[in-house]
């Protein structure tokens, strides 16, 4: 029976928490009004679970968790918070707290469910410690060989079998009937916000401790700058969780606790080393899909896989090449639209990112060699080719396309006005004003004014001095400013209302247009 210590500087809260607990399953270790007293009582009573407030005199909850961790506390901590304490809560979770609950929403059912989860976590940890073989050179050597074998299995080219050494079956079968879960985890972004917790690899180790209580062994291996391998093994009678649900929980916890986003490929549960080798090969075939930002609430099954060729993608690639067949001052708009559609098609058709990048690089070479654009000797394509190759996500690729188009547009000189085009240009402007919140394409505008897309781009640039896409974004920024200045819209809402759901792109456009971030509009 696990002992519970309640810590809060308000007596009424300590009493309320005590009355919520069904004590048939737990023992009461006492209560404390601050972290300093709680630390002393934890030592005296041998408390297993500590329920603590964050803001307290003498020693707050964060410092209490830090001190407990430094002293090797083997129990679990549950944090109580108010609505405006979320930054502090996130820090507590980074330092090892199991979970948090809002004081104003505490109910016996949910409270007991959380306590039972913590008890199960303690059960699993202590059972593992009791059943673990005594430390020995041979056991340590076996674990080292398992880790090395996992690295070898992961490094084999996708789709190819791994020739397993003779000792593999023995190493992976320390006890009969293992069920092995494997995941590929890709971190979207960097680790700057995770440095205090030891980096993302250490974060995954902590998550695995909570997600896989009582496991036979777990390995978390960094296999690239942003790529990680997580493999855990269970006895068949210990865990029967759904891999997709585990992936979903992993993604949710990382976002909630650490404010970072990850992509996860999950495998079917493997029984033995041969099945694990096959599942990990499938993981590598599927992980290219993590490049794309399409919402995947439960991660990606390794039964999905990237492909090298597809008729629809080939058609989009051909349209990108054709967009500069008759280069003129407005052709870069057509090229930009075609390039963006190519990225979207690749995501929809599960095209391998390597194939997409190769096609986009070819499109950039076309821009560099389109003499009629007037940029051949003034524009260097090499940095853009490097940006395409270095992109980790399709969002980064689309941002590169936008920035490239802006640079090319600015380097193209204005063209003399073309006769007879003013009415069509006015109609096009009215169309953009009316449909700015929609997903506007050049083809839509051209059809509205009864001109071909390339010719409309040319005359529009000649008459207005800027491209159709630049003008559309100008209109959107003006509308967004009006919305934000009214005080009735959040930044995210305004972005969606003007047809730019990508928050990073919206912020960049807005700051370029007005010199301030949208959140500073009053």
């Amino acid at each position: 029976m696990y002992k519970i210590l309640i810590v809060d500087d308000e007596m009424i809260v300590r009493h309320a928490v005590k009355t919520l607990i069904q004590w048939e399953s737990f023992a009461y270790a006492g209560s404390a009004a601050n972290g300093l007293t709680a630390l002393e009582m934890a030592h005296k009573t041998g408390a297993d679970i500590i329920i603590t407030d964050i803001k307290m005199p003498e020693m707050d909850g964060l410092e209490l968790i830090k001190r407990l961790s430094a002293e090797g506390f083997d129990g679990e901590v549950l944090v109580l918070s108010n609505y405006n304490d979320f930054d502090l809560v996130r820090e507590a979770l980074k330092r090892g707290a199991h979970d948090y609950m809002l004081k104003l929403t505490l109910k016996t059912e949910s409270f007991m469910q959380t306590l039972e989860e913590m008890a199960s976590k303690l059960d699993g940890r202590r059972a593992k410690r009791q059943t673990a073989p005594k430390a020995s050179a041979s056991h340590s050597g076996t674990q080292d060989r398992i880790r090395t074998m996992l690295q070898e299995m992961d490094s084999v080219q996708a789709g190819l079998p791994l020739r397993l050494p003779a000792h593999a079956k023995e190493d992976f079968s320390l006890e009969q009937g293992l069920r092995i879960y494997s995941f590929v985890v890709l971190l979207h972004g960097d680790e700057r916000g995770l440095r205090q917790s030891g980096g993302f690899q250490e974060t995954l180790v902590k998550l695995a401790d909570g997600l896989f209580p009582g496991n036979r062994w777990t390995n978390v291996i960094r296999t690239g700058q942003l790529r990680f391998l997580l493999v855990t093994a269970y006895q068949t009678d210990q865990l029967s969780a759904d891999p997709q649900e585990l992936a979903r929980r992993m993604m949710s916890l990382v976002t909630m606790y650490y404010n970072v986003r990850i992509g996860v490929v999950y495998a079917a549960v493997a029984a033995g080393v041969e099945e694990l080798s096959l599942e990990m090969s499938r993981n590598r075939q599927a992980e290219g899909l993590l490049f794309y930002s399409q919402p995947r609430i439960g991660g990606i099954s390794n039964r999905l896989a990237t492909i090298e060729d597809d008729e629809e993608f080939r058609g989009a690639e051909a349209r990108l090449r054709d967009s500069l067949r008759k280069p003129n001052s407005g052709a870069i708009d057509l090229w930009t639209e075609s390039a963006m559609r190519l990225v979207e098609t690749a995501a929809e058709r599960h095209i391998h990112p390597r194939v997409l990048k190769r096609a986009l690089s070819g499109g950039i070479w076309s821009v560099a060699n389109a003499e009629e654009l007037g940029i051949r000797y003034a524009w260097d394509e090499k940095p853009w080719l490097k940006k395409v190759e270095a992109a980790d996500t399709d969002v980064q690729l689309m941002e590169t396309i936008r920035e490239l188009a802006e640079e090319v547009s600015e380097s193209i000189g204005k063209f003399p006005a073309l006769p007879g085009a003013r009415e069509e240009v006015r109609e096009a402007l009215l169309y953009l004003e009316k449909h700015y919140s929609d997903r506007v394409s050049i083809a839509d505008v051209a059809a509205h004014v009864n001109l071909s897309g390339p010719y409309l781009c040319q005359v529009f640039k000649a008459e207005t001095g800027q491209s159709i896409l630049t003008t559309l974004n100008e209109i959107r920024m003006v509308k967004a400013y009006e919305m934000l200045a009214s005080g009735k819209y959040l930044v995210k809402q305004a972005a969606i209302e003007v047809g730019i759901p990508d928050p990073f792109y919206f912020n960049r456009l807005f700051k370029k247009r007005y010199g301030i971030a949208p959140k500073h509009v009053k």
Side-chain angles (χ1 to χ4, degrees), residues 183-439:
F183 305 85
V184 171
V185 181
L186 191 69
L187 176 63
H188 296 304
D190 56 41
E191 297 181 272
R192 281 179 294 184
L194 300 168
R195 284 174 184 162
Q196 285 188 342
S197 55
F200 190 65
Q201 185 170 359
E202 207 50 46
T203 295
L204 279 182
V205 171
K206 292 177 182 176
L207 284 177
D209 182 49
L211 283 173
F212 308 108
N215 61 77
R216 186 65 183 84
W217 51 258
T218 294
N219 273 285
V220 177
I221 305 169
R222 182 189 287 270
T223 54
Q225 184 178 358
L226 301 173
R227 183 183 182 275
F228 301 82
L229 177 67
L230 193 162
V231 185
T232 188
Y234 274 86
Q235 297 301 122
T236 52
D237 58 349
Q238 284 184 308
L239 183 72
S240 185
D242 175 26
Q244 182 180 17
E245 174 59 19
L246 292 171
R248 185 198 65 76
R249 288 186 62 196
M250 196 185 308
M251 295 168 72
S252 175
L253 290 171
V254 168
T255 300
M256 181 185 298
Y257 292 175
Y258 301 98
N259 198 27
V260 295
R261 193 167 63 87
I262 61 172
V264 179
V265 172
Y266 60 88
V269 181
V273 67
E274 291 95 344
E275 287 187 19
L276 177 62
S277 176
L278 176 60
E279 292 300 328
M280 288 178 65
S281 177
R282 287 172 174 158
N283 287 350
R284 291 190 298 278
Q285 289 176 304
E287 70 177 274
L289 295 177
L290 294 177
F291 181 82
Y292 300 108
S293 57
Q294 291 178 336
R296 298 183 186 277
I297 295 173
I300 296 172
S301 167
N302 69 0
R303 267 41 182 183
L304 294 174
T306 54
I307 60 176
E308 303 285 329
D309 191 24
D310 175 83
E311 184 177 350
E312 204 168 315
F313 179 78
R314 286 200 306 272
E317 187 177 7
R319 286 188 288 276
L320 178 63
R321 290 194 302 269
D322 292 343
S323 64
L324 291 178
R325 182 157 291 179
K326 295 179 180 179
N328 56 59
S329 61
I332 193 62
D333 275 6
L334 289 173
W335 183 90
T336 303
E337 188 172 83
S338 299
M340 299 292 276
R341 182 56 193 152
L342 182 71
V343 177
E344 293 170 354
T345 302
E348 293 164 2
R349 307 303 296 173
H350 295 176
I351 300 298
H352 196 288
R354 178 183 63 254
V355 177
L356 170 60
K357 290 180 178 182
R358 187 168 62 232
L360 273 179
S361 295
I364 293 173
W365 279 110
S366 298
V367 172
N369 288 279
E371 296 185 30
E372 293 86 344
L373 286 177
I375 63 166
R376 183 172 175 80
Y377 302 108
W379 187 68
D380 184 7
E381 75 280 358
K382 296 185 188 68
W384 298 103
L385 294 171
K386 289 180 181 178
K387 281 189 175 184
V388 166
E389 188 58 36
D392 293 316
T393 66
D394 60 342
V395 172
Q396 291 179 13
L397 268 189
M398 290 190 282
E399 185 65 12
T400 297
I401 292 167
R402 294 181 186 118
E403 291 175 353
L404 182 155
E406 288 174 10
E407 182 177 285
V408 171
S409 294
E410 290 170 0
S411 70
I412 299 173
K414 292 185 179 180
F415 286 72
L418 298 178
R422 293 186 182 276
E423 182 61 32
E424 288 86 351
V425 171
R426 282 198 298 271
E427 286 295 320
L429 284 168
L430 288 172
Y431 184 89
L432 295 177
E433 284 277 357
K434 184 177 180 180
H435 296 278
Y436 68 89
S437 62
D438 300 332
R439 183 173 176 172

Side-chain angles (χ1 to χ4, degrees), residues 90-104:
R90 180 171 285 154
E91 186 61 31
L93 295 170
K94 286 183 182 179
R95 294 186 182 190
H98 169 79
D99 207 341
Y100 75 97
M101 301 193 80
L102 294 171
K103 290 182 181 180
L104 294 179

Side-chain angles (χ1 to χ4, degrees), residues 459-475:
V459 297
F460 193 97
K461 179 70 180 286
E463 291 287 341
T464 66
Q466 60 185 19
S467 71
I468 293 174
L469 295 182
T470 299
T471 302
L472 175 60
N473 284 333
E474 286 273 337
I475 294 169

